[in-house]
Amino acid sequence: MADTVQGWSDVSLADTAAPPARKRGLKLFMRQRSTTAVLMCLPLIAIVLGLIIYPAFYSIYLSMLNKAQTHFIGLGNFTFLLSRDTFWMVAEQSTIFALSAVFFKALIGLITAHLVNNLPVKGQRKWRGMLLVPWVIPLALSTLGWWWMFDPTNSAFNYTLRSLGFAGIPWLSDPYWARFSVILVNVWYGAPFFLIMYLAALKSVPEQLYEAASIDGATAWQKFRHITLPMMHNIIAITVLFSLIVTFANFDIVQIMTAGGPRNMTHMFATYSFLLGIRSGDLPLGAATSLFMLPILAVAAVFILRGVRKRGREIG
Amino acid sequence: MLPRTTRRTVLKTAALATAAVITAPYVRGAYAAGKLTLGCWDHWVPGANKALDKLCNEWGEKNKVEVHIDYITSQGEKDKLTAAAEAQAGTGHDIMSHRDWNVRIHQAVLEPLDDVVDGLIKQYGPISPVAEYLAKIKGAWRGVPTTIGSQVKPCCSRFDLYKEHAGLDLLEMFPADEKKWDKAKVAAWNWDAYVTSAQKLFKAGFPVGLPMGQTSDSVDWVGGLFNAYGVVMVDAKDNIKIDSDQTRQAMEIARKIMEVSPPEVYAWDDAGNNRWLISGKGSNIMNPPSAWAVAKRDNPKVAEQCWTHPVPTGPKGRFVGQLPQFYGVWKFSQNKTAAKELLTFISQKDSVAQLVAASVGYDLPSFKSMYDLPTWNTVGPPVGTVYGYPPRGDEQTSIAGAPARSDVGAQIYNQAINTVMIAKFTQGKEKLDDVIKWAEKELEGTLRA
């Protein structure tokens, strides 16, 4: 503060003379709060432009080139993919994976959030911390751990099952078990996100509503059905949308655990795109494969966000 | 006490430093001939990278070039991702190592290296046909076949188990001296004999471990089997030829092998078969000596009983899967002349001998004239265990996807069409005709312009 005062006193008369209008305008512009805000956001805007917007448009451009990237072929890559059985199988698997994983994550998140919410305040923090562990461990690392437990030959789970007298399960070598395994790991990883979101929503429900319902003789289910669920509707919708996007685009779990096998039956759009684009050297076809997620997710986003807006207006 | 750092002192120091750099006189340093950067495949074998470091430093000091090597792992295809990123960006290392099909994938941005490779062929004789198929594109070499990481996948068998349970004396069939091989016994080592021995070993509780996933170890052994029966998926003129009697014969052999294989082979990656052998449960795999080398460390009793020998033969010959690596020089490299000189230097037989020794025989040069290097005769235990690693006798190298033009072959190989066919037929219990129809449709897709 003293420096500032000193600085002002040092200003000569010449300096205090009124600056030209243009300079003054610039000074005023720079002093505006919105200008400062934009300037401070610039690094973030640059990152978004450079690492999200540009790659997105570049991949759209790539997807419209021929294999050698020398000619523009319009929607040729997309129509080619639509004629492939394997692509349709990948589309089916991605849908099964995303829908079932999001459903179970939401269900487990909701149940666990209720359980944690009903714990005494003293022990709640400890449980919250422990339940968040799967979500905070780097995914690649935890998936490797799961892979070791599912290891085709030396699975820890199978070792336990066999020592208890049961037969081992072909976790990763049977296509259907492999699908189950990758969904299981995704649910394990993603459920804590739902838990924390739902827990926050539960805590924001006014206690008086439950008290009033109790006085009216409402059962626990009736309270959940008519108070909790309506109050959480928006957060459930947004969480499901967010998770649907992330789950559809999942790459790490499938790539580490099965790399799309056996018989291509666990491929997702992202892993199939990697196989075609990077491993087989057809970048345009790989880009086209990954872009197939866009319309599916866009349609889901439109419907879910429309519902959220509608409920928002009703509350407002 | 440290002097207080203020904004003025920082600016002053920066200005002085900039001025000093700009006005400093040019002094011819140790690396006056420039800088060369390499993006190299990170070797599996511990310490093998050091041999390349040593060779590059030696060459760099002699030629006054600063050589910098970045080792990039192939785990998760990071090396391929890096190469793809550099190719798209038009900037990066001067020399980049490319596994299997990557030279073809990046051919448009790779410098022709005919002067280097033709010179080496003049010096050392014929080069591996697989290396030529992968790196000589439209008459021009776009990569130099390198010793580092190049491999074939012959049989690595437990000779004790084969003798005890299958009645085959592998040491007598394939002693560590090709001249002593009995032609009749070698000829009798065919795919039918392999199936019979695999059935006996399965009954004894030591099944063979041939993977049926979608990674290179799976694709390579099946590629060798298909070639041995004369299966052509797509020929050099883009004709789809998968619907043939040869395909049906080879598929039948594969079915018999899968019947006596552990069910988990469908989920194995490239390490699955290694672990199977090292664990002591398996009797045979098709792999470079890395499995034996790890067994030497982790389960020495198994390593002592391992013997590397040629793959079985079929009606069209004995084909072992080969997976060469290459060094490519980007067109945007800043120091192409130095890059070519370095590649020539590390391809000389003396350099190759050091690389092979450092990798305990894992690295395989692309010149048959170099198969007499001492490492393969001397490492053990047992001594001579990897003598049969370089293709010897009538064993020829092959790669799944050939003879289709290489951009089609790359897709056949990387999408593992051959192993998916077998998995559909054996694990999925699909009819053979349906499987062949599926393969035809997939192959049709690979021919897309």
Side-chain angles (χ1 to χ4, degrees), chain B residues 127-423:
Chain B
I127 199 163
S128 151
V130 174
E132 188 168 353
Y133 169 73
L134 292 172
K136 195 172 182 181
I137 300 158
K138 291 173 193 156
W141 286 92
R142 299 281 167 177
V144 178
T146 169
T147 301
I148 300 159
S150 292
Q151 50 175 285
V152 287
K153 293 172 181 172
C155 288
C156 179
S157 306
R158 285 279 302 273
F159 60 82
D160 55 336
L161 298 175
Y162 265 81
K163 196 170 183 180
E164 190 184 340
H165 303 293
L168 290 175
D169 190 343
L170 296 173
L171 299 187
E172 193 194 51
M173 286 162 71
F174 304 106
D177 183 357
E178 201 182 329
K179 288 171 204 150
K180 293 178 185 167
W181 288 9
D182 182 330
K183 275 189 179 172
K185 282 181 183 169
V186 172
W189 178 239
N190 57 32
W191 280 102
D192 287 323
Y194 184 87
V195 169
T196 311
S197 58
Q199 288 165 342
K200 289 177 183 172
L201 288 157
F202 177 74
K203 275 183 194 159
F206 298 100
V208 297
L210 299 186
M212 197 46 71
Q214 286 164 247
T215 52
S216 70
D217 279 7
S218 309
V219 176
D220 286 335
W221 86 259
V222 175
L225 168 70
F226 274 24
N227 274 309
Y229 279 84
V231 177
V232 174
M233 299 184 105
V234 176
D235 69 12
K237 291 178 181 167
D238 287 358
N239 298 307
I240 298 170
K241 301 264 183 154
I242 193 70
D243 191 358
S244 66
D245 290 342
Q246 288 89 333
T247 304
R248 287 177 171 78
Q249 285 171 21
M251 292 291 282
E252 194 52 33
I253 291 287
R255 187 186 61 78
K256 288 177 182 169
I257 295 172
M258 287 300 104
E259 272 176 4
V260 292
S261 297
E264 56 264 33
V265 293
Y266 296 99
W268 277 356
D269 58 9
D270 286 344
N273 51 352
N274 295 26
R275 282 196 290 268
W276 183 246
L277 185 82
I278 296 161
S279 70
K281 293 181 199 169
S283 51
N284 165 278
I285 60 171
M286 292 185 187
N287 208 65
S290 47
W292 163 78
V294 177
K296 202 164 82 160
R297 185 192 67 197
D298 295 348
N299 197 350
K301 282 185 180 168
V302 165
E304 284 164 17
Q305 305 294 330
C306 288
W307 198 254
T308 297
H309 59 91
V311 294
T313 188
K316 298 290 176 190
R318 193 185 304 279
F319 292 91
V320 64
Q322 185 182 23
L323 218 47
Q325 285 203 21
F326 305 89
Y327 282 135
V329 178
W330 294 122
K331 277 187 178 166
F332 46 80
S333 161
Q334 301 295 310
N335 210 346
K336 291 175 192 168
T337 313
K340 288 180 182 181
E341 282 173 19
L342 175 63
L343 292 180
T344 307
F345 173 74
I346 57 176
S347 302
Q348 298 303 305
K349 197 170 179 179
D350 288 345
S351 307
V352 169
Q354 292 180 48
L355 295 167
V356 172
S359 67
V360 208
Y362 178 97
D363 294 342
L364 188 80
S366 281
F367 294 97
K368 199 160 189 169
S369 62
M370 294 185 186
Y371 292 173
D372 58 355
L373 292 172
T375 304
W376 294 300
N377 296 59
T378 52
V379 295
V383 175
T385 183
V386 292
Y387 173 80
Y389 175 56
R392 301 189 191 276
D394 61 351
E395 197 173 42
Q396 303 167 63
T397 56
S398 68
I399 187 158
R405 58 188 159 90
S406 57
D407 57 333
V408 174
Q411 291 173 79
I412 296 174
Y413 185 98
N414 287 307
Q415 290 167 34
I417 294 177
N418 60 359
T419 66
V420 177
M421 279 176 74
I422 296 175

Side-chain angles (χ1 to χ4, degrees), chain A residues 58 67 69 73 77 80 83-86 147 151-154 172-175 260-264 267 274-276 278-283 285, chain B residues 76-77 80-81 84 88 104-105 214 263-264 266-269 275-276 281 407 410-411 414-415 420 423-424 427-428 438 441-442 445-446 448-449:
Chain A
Y58 187 65
K67 202 197 284 183
Q69 299 177 43
I73 56 164
N77 287 318
F80 171 78
S83 69
R84 315 308 305 165
D85 292 344
T86 310
W147 181 78
D151 181 283
T153 310
N154 306 302
L172 301 179
S173 50
D174 177 85
R263 285 148 48 197
N264 291 328
H267 264 306
F274 182 75
L275 171 72
L276 296 177
I278 302 294
R279 291 189 61 195
S280 303
D282 196 340
L283 273 180
L285 197 63
Chain B
E77 313 277 10
K80 289 187 179 179
L81 275 169
Q88 288 290 317
R104 187 214 63 79
I105 288 168
Q214 286 164 247
E264 56 264 33
Y266 296 99
W268 277 356
D269 58 9
R275 282 196 290 268
W276 183 246
K281 293 181 199 169
D407 57 333
Q411 291 173 79
N414 287 307
Q415 290 167 34
V420 177
K424 278 175 172 284
Q427 189 193 38
W438 170 84
K441 202 153 183 228
E442 289 294 302
T446 64
R448 193 179 69 99

